[in-house]
Amino acid sequence: MAVPVAFFAVFFAYPVAAIVARGLKTDGVWRLGRIGEVLAQSDVRHVLWFTGWQALASTALTLLVALPGAYVFARFDFPGKQLLRAVVTVPFVLPTVVVGTAFLALVGRGGLLDELWGVRLDTTVWAILLAHVFFNYAVVVRTVGGLWAQLDPRQEEAARMLGASRLRAWRQVTLPALAPAVAAAALMVFLFTFTSFGVVQILGGPTFSTLEVEIYRQTSQLFDLSTAAVLTMVQFAAVAAILAVHAWTVRRRETALRLVDASTTARRPRGAGQWALLAGVLGIVLVLLVLPLAVLVQRSLGASGFGYYRALADEDGGAFLVPPIEAIGNSLQYAVAATAIAVVIGALAATALTRRDAGRFVRGFDALLMLPLGVSAVTVGFGFLIALDEPPLDLRSSWILVPLAQALVGVPFVVRTVLPVLRAVDGRLREAAAVLGASPWRVWREVDLPMVRRALLVAAGFAFAVSLGEFGATVFIARPDNPTLPVAVARLLGRPGDMNYGQAMALSTILMLVCAVALVVLERLRTDRSGEF
């Protein structure tokens, strides 16, 4: 535990605490009254209200749209199912900047809807809600659908034989069993939308602002650290509460059900109603998930074919000190370094968490590992700049700063992927190896590693994808001569002109393709055949 604890203490707790202290201390005196002053401001209350309201609305809309898809993937067997599963998962691994850009190309000024019917949604909250559904559709489908596929359908069939209608049997037999999974998926969607940054930053404009966007505005534009510190504390408290409830629902899900082999529950659709349901889900996937990405690709090509792509290699005298195309190489190098860090830290933490004699501190650290997913990445990035500026941790001019920030987001994915596999290893194998004289290192190398190797590869793929698309922290610490792909996209979208817009679409398409390739590799390496995350 020493290395993971030190890593999170130095590169997560310390920067966050530093920026909060910088905002709430003046001449060494804490100004706790500033909390009440900030929360009393009408514009701050409006941001808090909109953050909570849009997260609830996004969660409800996502459940409404995605639950039929969860049923189709769980209970139906049809040609192309695995391909469709990969298509559904692509949006989840896409950077939020790409998601925002894709919907901007669909519903924004000059977008597809604007060209066909003169309809623009980029100035309304509907663009944000639809983008959140696009991003989180896979969370519901794979979390709820994975459990649904393992529920014994004979229980519902028995209720039907006893006279219950199809709806009543589902409501009284299946729904209670699914409730923990639905609650867990809903909480995860709420967490992702509550802390939404890239989507709201691009689609919300000056009208809509979440806590994350407001923290960014207060730190980078208004330089009001005290307000940003208060908002960070509010978001931290909200995220901690969400994660506590999520941990409770996951425990219920793990202990309350008796499951069957998922491969035995799916069958081909029967009757017009089931075929209509399958067709409806396919239609939703095409319109809501595939169409925005197709429009993104089309806008990147424009009328001149690959002109926008060729322009990426041109010298830029504005927001970039290098040709924008160099952002591709920068992102790949940073993501590889971040993946290596995340795999080492996450594997060590997961190994420590599997020990039967782990104390309360270790078990508590398991929950804390999830905090980087919900705590403001903007706060972490800005905290890096003001905290890691003195020897022996003066890293502001070092390239390693970006991978360190990205690794913070990747570690939770590594732990969540590797930990179940490590816990499934029979402890008697380790004991037998130790009795035969193997050292602890040799036991891990020859017993645990062969069993967990695939999980480590999957975890590395997830860490690579999320590192590649990290934006909130990277936007602060990426140097102008070494921009990453998400930062480059955001800078291009912030500049007027069709060429800048087209280049942003081209870079977003490249980023989307790289993430899609990573997903294809993940699908081939998956160890959990139930389809759950």
Side-chain angles (χ1 to χ4, degrees), residues 319-321 475 478-481 483 486-495 500:
F320 300 97
L321 300 180
V475 70
R479 297 186 304 185
D481 58 339
V487 172
V489 170
R491 288 179 183 174
L492 287 168
L493 287 175
R495 302 168 64 186
N500 291 317

Side-chain angles (χ1 to χ4, degrees), residues 157-221:
E157 293 169 0
R160 294 289 308 281
M161 292 181 63
L162 293 173
S165 64
R166 186 181 298 275
L167 178 61
R168 184 180 180 185
W170 181 84
R171 189 178 69 248
Q172 295 187 351
V173 177
T174 304
L175 183 59
L178 284 177
V182 174
L187 284 167
M188 290 305 296
V189 173
F190 185 86
L191 175 64
F192 290 142
T193 53
F194 187 85
T195 58
S196 181
F197 178 60
V199 169
V200 180
Q201 177 79 353
I202 293 175
L203 296 176
T207 307
F208 303 107
S209 178
T210 57
L211 268 172
E212 187 86 353
V213 174
E214 187 63 18
I215 292 171
Y216 174 75
R217 189 175 74 91
Q218 294 290 340
T219 52
S220 66
Q221 299 177 11

Side-chain angles (χ1 to χ4, degrees), residues 170-310:
W170 181 84
R171 189 178 69 248
Q172 295 187 351
V173 177
T174 304
L175 183 59
L178 284 177
V182 174
L187 284 167
M188 290 305 296
V189 173
F190 185 86
L191 175 64
F192 290 142
T193 53
F194 187 85
T195 58
S196 181
F197 178 60
V199 169
V200 180
Q201 177 79 353
I202 293 175
L203 296 176
T207 307
F208 303 107
S209 178
T210 57
L211 268 172
E212 187 86 353
V213 174
E214 187 63 18
I215 292 171
Y216 174 75
R217 189 175 74 91
Q218 294 290 340
T219 52
S220 66
Q221 299 177 11
L222 303 180
F223 303 103
D224 188 350
L225 290 186
S226 63
T227 299
V230 172
L231 296 180
T232 297
M233 294 171 64
V234 171
Q235 181 164 308
F236 186 87
V239 167
I242 295 170
L243 291 177
V245 176
H246 179 264
W248 177 72
T249 59
V250 169
R251 284 196 298 271
R252 283 189 59 200
R253 176 183 172 189
E254 290 176 343
T255 59
L257 301 175
R258 182 174 297 174
L259 306 177
V260 299
D261 185 0
S263 63
T264 65
T265 62
R267 54 179 172 77
R268 292 185 66 83
R270 300 173 184 173
Q274 292 187 357
W275 282 106
L277 177 60
L278 176 59
V281 169
L282 291 176
I284 290 174
V285 170
L286 288 175
V287 173
L288 185 63
L289 305 185
V290 177
L291 182 60
L293 300 180
V295 173
L296 175 65
V297 175
Q298 185 268 332
R299 286 291 187 272
S300 73
L301 296 174
S304 58
F306 292 92
Y308 294 139
Y309 290 90
R310 288 192 292 268

Side-chain angles (χ1 to χ4, degrees), residues 7-8 335 337-347 369-373 402-418 456 458-470:
F7 178 79
F8 274 86
T339 300
I341 297 172
V343 168
V344 172
I345 300 298
L369 289 171
M370 293 290 289
L371 283 179
L373 294 181
V402 174
L404 287 172
Q406 294 174 344
L408 283 172
V409 184
V411 168
F413 286 92
V414 175
V415 174
R416 296 274 75 83
T417 303
V418 175
L456 282 173
V458 173
F462 270 120
F464 180 81
V466 298
S467 299
L468 199 65
E470 205 288 321

Side-chain angles (χ1 to χ4, degrees), residues 82-124:
Q82 294 303 321
L83 175 62
L84 187 64
R85 187 192 299 276
V87 170
V88 164
T89 312
V90 165
F92 181 75
V93 300
L94 287 180
T96 56
V97 171
V98 174
V99 175
T101 306
F103 272 81
L104 193 65
L106 180 63
V107 303
R109 178 178 60 85
L112 181 63
L113 296 185
D114 192 14
E115 290 182 353
L116 295 179
W117 299 294
V119 176
R120 288 181 56 189
L121 298 178
D122 59 325
T123 57
T124 70

Side-chain angles (χ1 to χ4, degrees), residues 417-418 420-421 451-459 522-532:
T417 303
V418 175
V421 181
M451 297 183 179
V452 81
R453 183 182 293 113
R454 254 188 164 181
L456 282 173
L457 292 175
V458 173
L522 286 180
E523 283 295 315
R524 290 183 174 275
L525 294 175
R526 275 192 313 127
T527 56
D528 180 7
R529 304 311 300 175
S530 69
E532 296 179 76

